[in-house]
Amino acid sequence: MMSPSARHPATTLSIVRHGQTEWNRQQRIQGSTDIPLNSIGRAQAAETGVRLREREWDLVVSSPLVRAEETARIIAGELGLPRPRVDDGFTERHHGDMEGLTFAERQKRFPDGVSVPGLETRQQVLDRVLPALARLAEGSEGQSILVISHGGIIGTLLRHFTSGERPRHNEIIANGSVHDFAFRNGRLELTYFEATLRAVNESFDVLR
C-alpha cells in the first residue's frame, strides 16, 4: 500500500531575497516603497540564478514590487523558465512612516516602544503570506517553486518557524539568499535557512 507521504509528495517552496537596491546600499528602510535594483542587485540576481541551476525548478513567482519582479525575471532567464507569475501576497512588509528613513533616523524618530503609523505587524504579515504560500503549494503539488520576495517577509517567516530563535543578532538575510520550506499534507515547515554573518556596520534594517 502506498504511504500517505507518497500519495501527497512535498512541494518545495524556496524563498529568495531580491537583489540590492540603492536604498539597501544606503541602509534605508524600503517596505512597500517601490525601489528598483541597482547594478550590483542585477549581478546578484544573475549569480543566484546560476547557483540555482544545481537544482530542478518548475515555476518562479514574485512579489509585485519592481526590485523583486526584476530579480525574478533575471533568475527565470538563467534557469530557462517562463516569465514569473506575480502574487501580491508576497509583497514586502509595510513599514508606514519609517519608509525612506535610515536606521539612525528611525531610532531618533521612532525609538523602541514608540508606535509607527502604517506599520504592518508581523502577525498581519503572516496572515497574508502563509495563506499565499499554501495556495501556491496546493496548486503545484510535488513541484519545486521559487518565490522572490523580501527580507522582512523572510525574517517574519523565520521567526515564526523557529519560535523567534532565528535570525540571531549576528545574522542577516542577504540579498540573493535562498531559504527552503516544504509543504506537505497542509503543513508548511522550514527546512533550510541560508544565514549570512552581519558585518560590523550593517543594521537590522538592511534586511528590508
Side-chain angles (χ1 to χ4, degrees):
M1 180 180 293
M2 187 179 295
S3 69
S5 61
R7 290 197 302 269
H8 300 285
T11 301
T12 299
L13 297 159
S14 295
I15 307 182
V16 182
R17 189 186 173 208
H18 62 79
Q20 187 190 80
T21 71
E22 281 303 293
W23 275 22
N24 286 149
R25 188 182 64 80
Q26 297 166 11
Q27 299 192 17
R28 294 189 181 278
I29 302 168
Q30 292 180 120
S32 56
T33 304
D34 211 1
I35 307 299
L37 297 179
N38 59 19
S39 58
I40 292 173
R42 295 184 187 96
Q44 289 171 333
E47 290 167 4
T48 300
V50 170
R51 182 161 60 102
L52 289 168
R53 289 178 189 167
E54 298 175 357
R55 299 163 62 180
E56 295 292 327
W57 303 99
D58 297 290
L59 177 67
V60 181
V61 179
S62 174
S63 152
L65 296 179
V66 66
R67 59 190 183 270
E69 196 173 1
E70 185 176 4
T71 300
R73 290 199 305 270
I74 292 170
I75 289 175
E78 293 290 345
L79 297 174
L81 292 173
R83 187 179 182 88
R85 287 167 35 185
V86 173
D87 189 321
D88 290 346
F90 302 121
T91 195
E92 177 59 298
R93 181 185 183 191
H94 305 295
H95 279 74
D97 288 2
M98 287 196 298
E99 295 187 11
L101 302 181
T102 65
F103 182 71
E105 290 168 343
R106 172 260 174 110
Q107 289 293 91
K108 183 176 180 180
R109 185 171 173 187
F110 301 107
D112 292 344
V114 174
S115 62
V116 180
L119 175 64
E120 188 176 17
T121 67
R122 292 197 185 279
Q123 187 58 54
Q124 287 171 331
V125 172
L126 290 171
D127 288 345
R128 65 177 168 85
V129 175
L130 291 176
L133 288 169
R135 288 193 303 270
L136 181 58
E138 288 165 354
S140 310
E141 186 176 285
Q143 294 189 347
S144 294
I145 304 169
L146 286 168
V147 177
I148 315 304
S149 193
H150 305 268
I153 297 300
I154 297 167
T156 298
L157 288 170
L158 291 172
R159 288 178 179 85
H160 174 68
F161 284 101
T162 66
S163 299
E165 292 184 6
R166 308 291 292 275
R168 299 187 181 105
H169 179 72
N170 65 337
E171 294 174 331
I172 65 169
I173 300 163
N175 295 105
S177 58
V178 184
H179 313 271
D180 296 334
F181 296 79
F183 187 90
R184 182 188 285 113
N185 298 325
R187 294 189 62 184
L188 185 69
E189 62 180 23
L190 172 68
T191 58
Y192 177 71
F193 166 38
E194 184 179 354
T196 300
L197 293 181
R198 185 191 306 275
V200 173
N201 64 342
E202 286 177 317
S203 73
F204 175 84
D205 290 289
V206 176
L207 299 183
R208 274 85 184 157

